[in-house]
């Protein structure tokens, strides 16, 4: 079964981040422990040392890093298909080809 939304598959407990009592330092640490882990919620140590549950994307690739795919913390989710949602301050809306938020230069 699952505890707190986390699987109890054999071997999963060995990687940090699967249980609150053994948080990882980052999503990247979880991904490097087992690259086959799915994108889901994991336990990460916050800046003040407490364990926090975060969503880790284990599949997204980025050319901005030499690291392999995965290990990214989702810091926000905006449903930009909803016309009432706006980009946060200091971000700009990009309308083409789809409506998204991007950094201002």
């Amino acid at each position: 079964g699952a505890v707190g939304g986390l699987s109890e598959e054999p071997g999963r407990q060995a990687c940090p981040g699967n249980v609150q009592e053994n948080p990882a330092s980052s999503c990247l640490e979880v991904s490097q422990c087992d690259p086959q882990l799915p994108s889901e919620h994991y336990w990460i140590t916050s800046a003040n040392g407490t364990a926090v549950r975060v969503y880790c994307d284990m599949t997204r690739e980025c050319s901005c890093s030499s690291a392999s795919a995965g290990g990214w913390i989702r810091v926000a989710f905006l449903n930009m298909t909803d016309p009432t949602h706006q980009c946060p301050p200091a971000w700009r809306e990009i309308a083409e080809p789809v409506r998204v938020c991007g950094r201002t230069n």
Side-chain angles (χ1 to χ4, degrees):
V3 176
L6 299 176
S7 173
E8 291 181 353
E9 296 169 21
R12 293 228 26 215
Q13 297 297 331
C15 287
N18 285 309
V19 293
Q20 185 174 7
E21 295 76 20
N22 185 23
S25 62
S26 66
C27 287
L28 181 59
E29 181 183 13
V30 176
S31 177
Q32 289 174 336
C33 177
D34 183 351
Q36 300 304 310
L37 289 174
S39 295
E40 65 180 33
H41 289 91
Y42 293 93
W43 291 96
I44 304 296
T45 304
S46 69
N48 69 5
T50 61
V52 293
R53 195 163 175 245
V54 300
Y55 183 84
C56 295
D57 184 330
M58 299 304 195
T59 59
R60 187 164 315 275
E61 294 185 29
C62 178
S63 61
C64 59
S65 171
S66 61
S68 60
W72 298 96
I73 293 177
R74 179 192 297 172
V75 295
F77 177 79
L78 300 170
N79 179 3
M80 294 305 287
T81 62
D82 182 335
T84 64
H85 288 195
Q86 302 296 315
C87 295
W91 289 69
R92 64 185 174 95
E93 183 177 314
I94 304 167
E96 298 293 329
V98 295
R99 189 169 169 256
V100 297
C101 297
R103 292 184 187 183
T104 57
N105 291 335

